[in-house]
């Protein structure tokens, strides 16, 4: 059974204009020292995501909004597949995910069909 089937949609916060300059750990307004504001909107380092995007020769420009959306989508994807794979780890009475758990989730859940054969 897929965890994503009964998942409740979570609103994705979008940074306000000018919030792109907020550094790691800073809130969207950028006020206060790092780590004291609300949780970061994206957990992946946006500079690294932008570097990966720019590594594609077909991409010449990438806006901060596009980089943010890609980072957030990646986080949600990793969270979803990890939760679904964890179900298989629990069935094996384990708390640590193993490759076979990811393989099982990819085989069992239609949304991950595009990943079949990628871990081989």
């Amino acid at each position: 059974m897929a965890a994503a089937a009964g998942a409740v949609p979570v609103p994705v916060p979008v940074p306000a204009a000018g919030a792109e300059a907020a550094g790691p750990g800073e809130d969207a307004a950028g006020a206060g020292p790092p780590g004291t504001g609300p949780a970061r909107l994206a957990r992946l380092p946006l500079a690294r995501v932008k570097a990966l995007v720019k590594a594609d020769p077909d991409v010449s420009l990438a806006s901060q909004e596009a980089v943010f959306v890609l980072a957030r989508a990646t986080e949600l994807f990793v969270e979803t597949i990890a939760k679904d794979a964890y179900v298989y780890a629990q069935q094996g009475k384990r708390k640590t995910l193993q490759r076979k758990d990811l393989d099982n989730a990819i085989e069992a859940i239609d949304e991950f069909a595009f990943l079949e054969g990628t871990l081989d």
Side-chain angles (χ1 to χ4, degrees), residues 8 19 25 33 42 90 114 118:
V8 176
Q90 286 179 320
F114 71 98
T118 57

Side-chain angles (χ1 to χ4, degrees), residues 5 12 14 24 27 29 36 57 66 72 85 91 97 107 111 116-117:
V12 177
V14 178
D27 60 8
T36 60
R72 189 67 182 122
Q91 289 174 357
L97 288 182
E107 285 180 27
E111 289 86 8
E116 287 182 7

Side-chain angles (χ1 to χ4, degrees), residues 2 25 41 43 54 59 65 86 94 101 105 114:
L41 297 176
R43 289 176 251 161
K54 286 190 158 192
V59 177
E65 291 82 9
Y86 187 66
R94 292 177 281 107
D101 301 320
F114 71 98

Side-chain angles (χ1 to χ4, degrees), residues 54-69:
K54 286 190 158 192
D56 184 344
D58 294 334
V59 177
S60 58
L61 293 174
S63 70
Q64 282 297 105
E65 291 82 9
V67 171
F68 173 79
V69 169

Side-chain angles (χ1 to χ4, degrees), residues 19-46:
E20 300 88 38
E26 293 180 359
D27 60 8
T36 60
R40 288 176 40 187
L41 297 176
R43 289 176 251 161
L44 291 176
L46 298 180

Side-chain angles (χ1 to χ4, degrees), residues 37-115:
R40 288 176 40 187
L41 297 176
R43 289 176 251 161
L44 291 176
L46 298 180
R48 296 261 175 112
V49 173
K50 187 166 191 162
L52 287 170
V53 169
K54 286 190 158 192
D56 184 344
D58 294 334
V59 177
S60 58
L61 293 174
S63 70
Q64 282 297 105
E65 291 82 9
V67 171
F68 173 79
V69 169
L70 282 170
R72 189 67 182 122
T74 302
E75 291 169 7
L76 293 173
F77 171 75
V78 170
E79 181 181 337
T80 300
I81 196 168
K83 284 180 180 180
D84 290 337
Y86 187 66
V87 170
Y88 291 99
Q90 286 179 320
Q91 289 174 357
K93 301 195 188 317
R94 292 177 281 107
K95 291 185 178 180
T96 303
L97 288 182
Q98 296 177 356
R99 179 184 166 146
K100 63 184 176 184
D101 301 320
L102 288 168
D103 287 334
N104 290 335
I106 289 169
E107 285 180 27
I109 300 168
D110 292 338
E111 289 86 8
F112 301 136
F114 71 98
L115 293 172

